Amino acid sequence: PKTADATRNFERLHSLPVHICTDCSVLETQHFDAAVDALYGTGFHGELRPSGLAACGLIRRLHKSGAFVLAVDLPSGINTDTGEVAEGAAHADLTVTFDSYKPLHIAKISAPLCGKIVCADIGIRGFDEACRCGKAPARKRPRQLSRHAGVLFVILLQNICTFLAERRKCGNRLI
């Protein structure tokens, strides 16, 4: 983790009943009910890095074996602004996007990889203005690629409640 928030959240992770896996090949033979794809953000462009390619491969295998895949904002490996799909990109059953729909959510090549798409109001602007129209807003400049490391969660259904701890509101954020 490189930021104070990322460091604090990584430290919190150690207090949960989770296993932090640095080699996803050990997960290939296990069965999971769900996976949360939060590897790459809206600044992704180009090709997947080797570790991202391996993680997206795991997400695709989990998806093919029946696991429910939830993508956070976008399935990893898709360019938000163009809908261009990198080789090895993840596939999702549900994509929850924030504030507004993005071009990738309506692009012919990338929309099918998103599964069902839901726009979540996170208080950035009026929900009606951002989400109701279902159109991707025009962008004036490309997004910058985030330097933060991504996250992949694989979840056993019977353990889901242990991950849903009560959180308190701090401004527009839950902490």
Side-chain angles (χ1 to χ4, degrees):
K2 296 184 183 206
T3 67
D5 282 345
T7 301
R8 184 173 48 248
N9 287 330
F10 189 71
E11 289 168 356
R12 288 178 178 167
L13 185 62
H14 290 287
S15 67
L16 296 172
V18 298
H19 173 73
I20 299 170
C21 181
T22 57
D23 176 11
C24 59
S25 67
V26 300
L27 302 174
E28 291 179 8
T29 59
Q30 298 181 39
H31 172 76
F32 297 95
D33 298 301
V36 177
D37 172 8
L39 294 170
Y40 288 93
T42 56
F44 175 83
H45 63 279
E47 297 179 6
L48 289 164
R49 295 180 295 231
S51 59
L53 187 61
C56 285
L58 175 62
I59 293 169
R60 286 193 319 278
R61 284 189 295 281
L62 291 170
H63 187 256
K64 285 180 183 176
S65 71
F68 180 85
V69 176
L70 166 68
V72 177
D73 230 357
L74 67 147
S76 291
I78 301 176
N79 182 307
T80 303
D81 296 321
T82 67
E84 181 181 355
V85 178
E87 184 175 338
H91 300 200
D93 295 297
L94 172 66
T95 298
V96 177
T97 189
F98 307 101
D99 176 54
S100 58
Y101 292 96
K102 282 74 170 178
L104 81 107
H105 299 129
I106 59 172
K108 188 181 280 191
I109 192 167
S110 56
L113 301 179
C114 296
K116 181 179 178 180
I117 303 165
V118 174
C119 184
D121 176 18
I122 57 171
I124 293 175
R125 56 183 154 180
F127 184 74
D128 289 344
E129 174 189 344
C131 294
R132 192 175 69 178
C133 65
K135 295 180 181 175
R139 283 212 133 90
K140 293 186 175 158
R141 62 184 174 83
R143 294 176 185 264
Q144 297 299 311
L145 183 63
S146 171
R147 294 176 302 177
H148 306 300
V151 179
L152 166 67
F153 298 100
V154 286
I155 304 166
L156 295 173
L157 195 54
Q158 68 263 25
N159 294 335
I160 192 78
C161 291
T162 63
F163 296 99
L164 301 177
E166 188 174 325
R167 299 168 73 188
R168 62 185 171 86
K169 190 164 183 156
C170 178
N172 286 333
R173 297 173 24 185
L174 291 174
I175 57 170

